[in-house]
């Protein structure tokens, strides 16, 4: 399905189930509101699904890998080869995201959307390569407009495929050396934030590399002049292929009414793009955590989202998403499995 067709399918949520969900939560054997944000999570899932109690099902994390030409400017503590090396680590089950996914029962699919490497006999890797990494956006546009559209439509396609498989929650992780530069550039382009206020240390760069990173993003924005009113133009000029794919996952989730669990800084940039395509996507967003990356709070403020967790993480990969998926599943089990005052024969609070 095309991007335009998907955007037409994103409609306001029908909130008919909200009152029933609130009654159910208030009837459970606990003081009113005592489970705090767990109750909020359960309520939002019930509204998105239109079911009380909500149904459980498959939890899916799509991990997109792509390289970035901006690394030529010395903006990362790691060489670009690490993107391909870490992609293999994902496939071998040795990364942090693999550990967390196994712990929380989350299915993972690793997708090559733009790694500057040809994987040979890479079992389990989904080859959807659009190009071998982006161009250096400090010197030219990161990609063509057609490539940007293809990256978004890839994410849409993958969600639509998964939506037929009892999908409960979807999220998207990332792997791409240099991608915090692209995410910061998108944040600055869409919000007007100054690079000095939005750019963080990414992989743990020193002060000299941070200064180079800020300067490279400033040059890229000045050179490319991305159109704030055209999210595809912003993505094409200063974005990344994996950011485009995550944007598509968000749009596809909104069209299919699947709860979308955002990760950190990279998926935050994708969420900003998705919001510019259609503000209604926010109805299915869940912000997993507050990244330690400097600009993430700016992103969340722009999206009007409150993160559930703050663990000082800045790894990416979908690690925050996996953690929140476990919490959301627990919240849905609470509303579905906990006894009511009547069923348990427990006396309610005196009026």
């Amino acid at each position: 399905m095309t991007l335009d067709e998907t955007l037409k399918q994103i409609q306001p949520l029908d909130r008919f189930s909200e009152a029933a969900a609130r009654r159910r939560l208030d009837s459970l054997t606990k003081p009113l509101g005592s489970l705090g944000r767990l109750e909020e999570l359960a309520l939002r899932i019930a509204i998105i699904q239109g079911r009380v109690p909500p149904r459980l099902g498959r939890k899916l994390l799509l991990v997109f890998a792509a390289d970035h030409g901006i690394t030529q400017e010395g903006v990362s503590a790691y060489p670009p080869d690490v993107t391909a090396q870490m992609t293999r680590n994902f496939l071998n089950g040795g990364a942090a995201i693999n550990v967390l996914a196994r712990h929380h029962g989350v299915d993972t699919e690793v997708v090559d959307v733009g790694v500057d490497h040809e994987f040979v006999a890479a079992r389990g890797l989904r080859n959807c390569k659009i190009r071998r990494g982006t161009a250096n956006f400090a010197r030219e546009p990161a990609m063509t407009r057609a490539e940007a559209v293809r990256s978004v439509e890839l994410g849409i396609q993958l969600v639509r495929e998964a939506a037929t498989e009892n999908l409960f929650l979807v999220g998207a992780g990332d792997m791409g050396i240099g991608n915090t530069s692209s995410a910061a550039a998108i944040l600055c382009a869409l919000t007007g934030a100054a690079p000095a206020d939005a750019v963080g240390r990414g992989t743990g760069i020193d002060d000299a590399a941070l200064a180079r990173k800020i300067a490279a993003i400033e040059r890229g924005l000045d050179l490319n002049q991305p159109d704030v009113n055209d999210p595809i133009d912003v993505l094409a000029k200063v974005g990344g292929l994996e950011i485009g794919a995550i944007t598509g996952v968000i749009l596809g989730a909104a069209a299919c009414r699947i709860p979308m669990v955002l990760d950190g800084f990279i998926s935050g940039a994708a969420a900003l793009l998705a919001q510019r395509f259609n503000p209604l996507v926010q109805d299915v967003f869940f912000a997993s955590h507050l990244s330690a990356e400097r600009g993430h709070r700016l992103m969340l403020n722009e999206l009007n989202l409150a993160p559930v967790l703050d663990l000082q993480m800045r790894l990416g990969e979908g690690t925050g998403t996996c953690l929140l998926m476990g919490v959301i599943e627990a919240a849905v089990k609470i509303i579905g499995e906990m006894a009511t005052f009547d069923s348990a024969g427990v006396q309610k609070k005196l009026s």
Side-chain angles (χ1 to χ4, degrees), residues 18 28 47 103 110 192 213 259-260 278 311:
E18 181 173 4
L28 302 178
I47 293 169
H103 178 68
V110 183
K213 186 175 180 180
M260 172 73 198
N278 189 325
L311 302 175

Side-chain angles (χ1 to χ4, degrees), residues 16-232:
F16 71 90
S17 61
E18 181 173 4
R22 289 190 185 279
R23 286 195 299 271
R24 170 72 184 176
L25 286 166
D26 291 348
S27 73
L28 302 178
T29 49
K30 60 176 180 58
L32 287 176
S34 59
L35 285 175
R37 295 195 67 184
L38 284 177
E39 297 188 34
E40 174 192 327
L41 293 171
L43 177 66
R44 288 197 59 209
I45 296 293
I47 293 169
I48 293 168
Q49 289 189 1
R51 294 171 55 115
V52 181
R55 63 167 178 81
L56 296 168
R58 185 185 185 207
K59 303 184 295 295
L60 174 64
L61 180 75
L62 297 159
V63 184
F64 296 99
D67 275 302
H68 292 255
I70 193 67
T71 56
Q72 297 167 11
E73 303 296 320
V75 298
S76 175
Y78 291 88
D81 292 349
V82 170
T83 301
Q85 293 165 4
M86 280 300 299
T87 300
R88 287 197 178 279
N89 193 26
F90 294 155
L91 297 173
N92 293 331
I97 190 57
N98 300 114
V99 176
L100 292 175
R102 288 193 294 267
H103 178 68
H104 289 288
V106 177
D107 294 337
T108 60
E109 291 187 19
V110 183
V111 184
D112 174 6
V113 67
V115 181
D116 189 14
H117 177 83
E118 294 301 329
F119 295 94
V120 178
R123 189 174 183 181
L125 179 66
R126 192 153 183 170
N127 182 5
C128 301
K129 196 189 301 287
I130 293 171
R131 58 180 283 173
R132 291 183 57 145
T134 54
N136 181 356
F137 73 76
R139 302 176 186 273
E140 60 182 307
M143 65 187 98
T144 68
R145 186 177 182 88
E147 289 165 341
V149 171
R150 283 178 62 195
S151 71
V152 175
E153 290 183 342
L154 169 63
I156 292 170
Q157 171 197 336
L158 295 179
V159 170
R160 288 194 173 279
E161 289 177 6
T164 64
E165 303 171 355
N166 191 32
L167 189 59
F168 168 45
L169 301 171
V170 68
D174 64 274
M175 181 60 226
I177 298 302
N179 63 7
T180 58
S181 294
S182 294
I186 290 169
L187 169 62
C188 293
L190 292 178
T191 68
D197 296 327
V199 176
R201 295 185 182 270
T203 50
I205 54 178
D206 60 20
D207 289 345
L210 179 61
R212 289 195 299 271
K213 186 175 180 180
I214 292 171
I217 292 170
E218 289 173 341
R219 285 197 307 275
L221 292 169
D222 185 59
L223 171 69
N224 289 292
Q225 294 292 307
D227 182 356
V228 67
N229 297 310
D230 183 355
I232 284 292

